Amino acid sequence: MKVLLTGGTGQLGISIIKNKPSDVILLNPKKSEFDLRDLDSCKLYIEYEKPDWIINSGAYTDVEKAELEKDEVLKINYKAVANISNILSDYGGKLLQISTDYVFDGNKKEPYETFDKTNPLNIYGISKLRAENYIRKILTAKNQYLILRTSWLMSPFSKNFLLTIIKLLKERESIKVINNQIGSMTSAHYLSKTCWKLIDKNNYYSKEKKFLPPIHHW
């Protein structure tokens, strides 16, 4: 099985590479080889390699800065995903799209279910939801996609809230942190294992002519 990974330098991407099954041929192109903003270049790369799966962990993820760069956010998080979906539809490849809890408004007082009504409040959430909707429109008929929504990644590498706090505690006597946001911290390591498990289960279900639920939360 050949799998193309986008976002291979991020927390999840690094973890996906580390936990790759031995029987998988993993394509992990550099940004210069596969830039999500360059639709034509991505199209040529995918059409040449024809991966069985694309794990799209690449995204514009700076939620606050996104409000100032809306066109860039939509280009990477929505238009690039629409482009990938169209190409996969043509030759039968499948997509595992990493999405986010930001497709919800956060007003629910208990964990969100996959079927709960979406209501994004910022451009980041809007861009990811548009991508989800396009994927479902283009790839549903042939069972060609899985959407995995997640939240607030943590890992021993790259940039994340935990590493920032540890660094600040080592440097300062005291630190100030906002206290008006609530989230569910998620291990990039276990999320990556979930990605591989979902692909494996989907492949098995497809052979049995069954369907795995298309949207998941982790």
Side-chain angles (χ1 to χ4, degrees):
M1 179 173 63
K2 185 190 290 188
V3 178
L4 169 61
L5 171 66
T6 73
T9 59
Q11 293 184 80
L12 179 57
I14 293 170
S15 300
I16 285 171
I17 294 167
K18 287 179 177 289
N19 290 308
K20 178 189 78 70
S22 58
D23 60 342
V24 169
I25 299 171
L26 184 62
L27 305 174
N28 178 31
K30 298 176 182 177
K31 188 175 181 180
S32 59
E33 302 172 294
F34 196 90
D35 187 339
L36 289 170
R37 296 169 298 183
D38 188 339
L39 302 186
D40 291 336
S41 176
C42 289
K43 186 174 189 292
L44 289 173
Y45 188 100
I46 296 170
E47 288 179 339
Y48 177 78
E49 294 289 352
K50 283 189 168 54
D52 300 291
W53 280 88
I54 294 177
I55 303 177
N56 184 35
S57 69
Y60 188 115
T61 58
D62 189 327
V63 178
E64 293 185 5
K65 189 178 178 182
E67 296 300 317
L68 304 175
E69 298 184 347
K70 293 182 179 181
D71 289 343
E72 186 79 352
V73 176
L74 289 171
K75 185 182 294 184
I76 295 171
N77 291 356
Y78 166 55
K79 293 180 181 178
V81 179
N83 184 47
I84 289 171
S85 299
N86 290 333
I87 302 163
L88 291 175
S89 177
D90 287 341
Y91 78 86
K94 295 186 177 184
L95 173 64
L96 174 55
Q97 168 71 3
I98 307 302
S99 195
T100 173
D101 58 342
Y102 275 91
V103 298
F104 302 110
D105 57 24
N107 290 326
K108 190 177 179 182
K109 302 304 181 183
E110 54 195 28
Y112 278 97
E113 303 287 350
T114 57
F115 51 77
D116 282 333
K117 183 180 179 180
T118 54
N119 185 34
L121 300 180
N122 54 32
I123 190 63
Y124 172 68
I126 290 169
S127 68
K128 297 294 275 188
L129 182 58
R130 285 189 185 179
E132 285 191 15
N133 290 339
Y134 194 90
I135 290 166
R136 294 166 73 178
K137 176 183 175 182
I138 299 298
L139 299 179
T140 292
K142 297 181 181 179
N143 187 32
Q144 287 179 259
Y145 79 92
L146 292 170
I147 292 170
L148 179 57
R149 294 173 180 150
T150 191
S151 169
W152 206 8
L153 288 187
M154 302 290 165
S155 70
F157 34 75
S158 192
K159 294 181 179 180
N160 61 65
F161 179 78
L162 178 61
L163 295 183
T164 299
I165 294 299
I166 292 173
K167 180 175 182 292
L168 290 175
L169 287 172
K170 289 178 178 179
E171 297 172 349
R172 304 177 186 179
E173 288 293 323
S174 63
I175 60 175
K176 292 182 179 181
V177 184
I178 59 170
N179 64 355
N180 64 347
Q181 293 185 14
I182 298 173
S184 297
M185 291 184 284
T186 305
S187 162
H189 171 73
Y190 286 108
L191 180 63
S192 70
K193 288 197 167 188
T194 300
C195 290
W196 289 119
K197 194 71 174 178
L198 281 173
I199 288 174
D200 181 62
K201 287 290 185 183
N202 183 274
N203 289 342
Y204 172 77
Y205 271 58
S206 295
K207 290 177 183 177
E208 298 293 317
K209 299 189 184 306
K210 299 177 181 179
F211 291 92
L212 195 66
I215 301 179
H216 300 262
H217 288 176
W218 182 269

